[in-house]
Amino acid sequence: MLRVISDALSSAADARYVTLLGMVDLSAAFDCVDHPLSLERLQRTFGLTGDALRWMTSFVTGRTQQVVYNGQLSPIELLRYGIPQGSVLGPVLFSLYTADVSQIATNHGLSQHQYADDCQVYLSVRVQDAALAATRLSSCITDIAAWMSSSRLRLNPSKTVVIWLGSRQQVGKIDVHAVTILNTSVSTVNTARDLGVVQDSELTMSAQVSAVCRSGFFFNFGSCVRWSGRCLRMLLRLWSRRLSLTAWTTAIPFCTASPTTCSDAYKPSKTPRRV
C-alpha cells in the first residue's frame, strides 16, 4: 500500500494527475490453488528443480482433511487444491502462482502491486481522461479475471473496490463515479481499507487516524466492561475501609472535647494563675 500511495503522491498528485485504483478481490483464493499447476509453474517459470522442487512438492501435496459436525467425523479426504494459510510459505507460493498477473497489467499500461491474495492495479491520468482510465481499468480486470479462471481462481466483482486518489481540487473535478467490472457496475468509494490501512481519496490519512482512535476507544471500553465487576468489588472494599477510618478519626476529637470524658487533671482551674 505504501508503494501505491507513494506513486499517487509523488508522480501523480504533484503533477495534478489523479490515480484510479482497483483492489481486486478473490473468492477463497488460497483454497483454490491447483497443486499440479502450481508445481509446474515453479519448475517452468522460476526454475525450481531437484531437492528444492521436491521440498515444495512435499509441502503442498499429501495433505488430508476431516470435518467434525454434531460429534460425527467425516471420512478423511485427500486435498487436491489449496495451500496452507497462516504459514510462512503460503503467501510466497500464492504470489508465485499468480505472478503472470503483473504482465497482464503491464500490457494494459497499468501498474500492479500484490501481496499474497491482495492484488491492486492502478493508473494515473489527467482529470479530463478519467473516463478513459475507467475503460482501461475495466479491460485490464476483465483479462485478469479470464486468466484467473484458467488458473482455477475466481474474481469477485461485487467485493472489488475502486477509488480515485489525488488532491482535493483534482478529485472534486472527476465526473466518473462507477467502473464496469465483469458486467457489474462498481461505484467508486471515498475510503477503502487495504491490509489494515484505511486510505481516503484525498490522501490525507484522516480516515486511518479516526479508525485507530475508534478502535482504541472501543478496546478500552471493552476492557472496562470485562473488569467492571472486579473493579466494583475492589472499589466497594476501599470505600468501606475509608468510611470506617474516617468515622473513627472524626470521633476521637469529638470525644476528647466532651466534658464527660475529660479527667480532672486536665480540667481548667477555677482560679487564674499568676504570671
Side-chain angles (χ1 to χ4, degrees), residues 126-149:
R126 296 187 179 277
V127 176
Q128 53 268 29
D129 296 329
L132 178 61
T135 302
R136 292 172 58 186
L137 180 65
S138 175
S139 177
C140 178
I141 294 180
T142 299
D143 289 349
I144 291 177
W147 181 90
M148 288 184 174
S149 179

Side-chain angles (χ1 to χ4, degrees), residues 16-18 124-133 164 167 169-176:
R16 296 184 179 181
Y17 277 50
V18 290
S124 300
V125 296
R126 296 187 179 277
V127 176
Q128 53 268 29
D129 296 329
L132 178 61
W164 287 102
S167 64
Q169 294 77 11
Q170 300 302 321
V171 171
K173 300 177 183 178
I174 299 174
D175 55 359
V176 178

Side-chain angles (χ1 to χ4, degrees), residues 55-272:
W55 289 339
M56 292 301 169
T57 303
S58 175
F59 178 79
V60 172
T61 61
R63 296 181 179 271
T64 58
Q65 178 175 288
Q66 190 177 36
V67 179
V68 180
Y69 181 73
N70 284 340
Q72 299 295 324
L73 288 173
S74 68
I76 299 176
E77 296 290 341
L78 182 66
L79 294 178
R80 297 180 297 171
Y81 304 97
I83 53 179
Q85 300 188 38
S87 61
V88 176
L89 286 177
V92 177
L93 289 176
F94 190 87
S95 298
L96 298 178
Y97 184 73
T98 57
D100 294 339
V101 174
S102 61
Q103 186 59 45
I104 299 175
T106 302
N107 294 340
H108 287 269
L110 275 68
S111 300
Q112 185 259 359
H113 179 68
Q114 181 175 348
Y115 175 75
D117 60 338
D118 184 85
C119 180
Q120 307 165 3
V121 288
Y122 57 98
L123 73 161
S124 300
V125 296
R126 296 187 179 277
V127 176
Q128 53 268 29
D129 296 329
L132 178 61
T135 302
R136 292 172 58 186
L137 180 65
S138 175
S139 177
C140 178
I141 294 180
T142 299
D143 289 349
I144 291 177
W147 181 90
M148 288 184 174
S149 179
S150 65
S151 300
R152 301 186 182 276
L153 300 175
R154 183 177 180 272
L155 190 146
N156 191 349
S158 61
K159 292 187 178 181
T160 297
V161 179
V162 180
I163 182 174
W164 287 102
L165 302 176
S167 64
R168 178 181 302 178
Q169 294 77 11
Q170 300 302 321
V171 171
K173 300 177 183 178
I174 299 174
D175 55 359
V176 178
H177 303 291
V179 178
T180 302
I181 306 295
L182 300 180
N183 299 323
T184 301
S185 181
V186 178
S187 300
T188 58
V189 297
N190 295 324
T191 59
R193 181 181 293 273
D194 182 57
L195 295 176
V197 178
V198 181
Q199 181 58 56
D200 60 287
S201 58
E202 298 176 1
L203 301 172
T204 61
M205 299 300 293
S206 59
Q208 170 66 13
V209 174
S210 300
V212 172
C213 293
R214 285 195 303 270
S215 63
F217 170 78
F218 284 120
F219 175 77
N220 292 333
F221 179 76
S223 300
C224 291
V225 170
R226 288 192 298 270
W227 288 88
S228 59
R230 182 177 298 180
C231 291
L232 182 60
R233 290 190 296 269
M234 184 182 300
L235 289 175
L236 287 176
R237 287 197 297 268
L238 292 176
W239 287 339
S240 62
R241 294 176 183 175
R242 181 64 181 270
L243 289 175
S244 300
L245 181 62
T246 303
W248 182 73
T249 54
T250 55
I252 293 177
F254 174 79
C255 293
T256 55
S258 175
T260 58
T261 58
C262 295
S263 61
D264 295 337
Y266 290 97
K267 288 183 180 180
S269 59
K270 295 182 180 179
T271 56

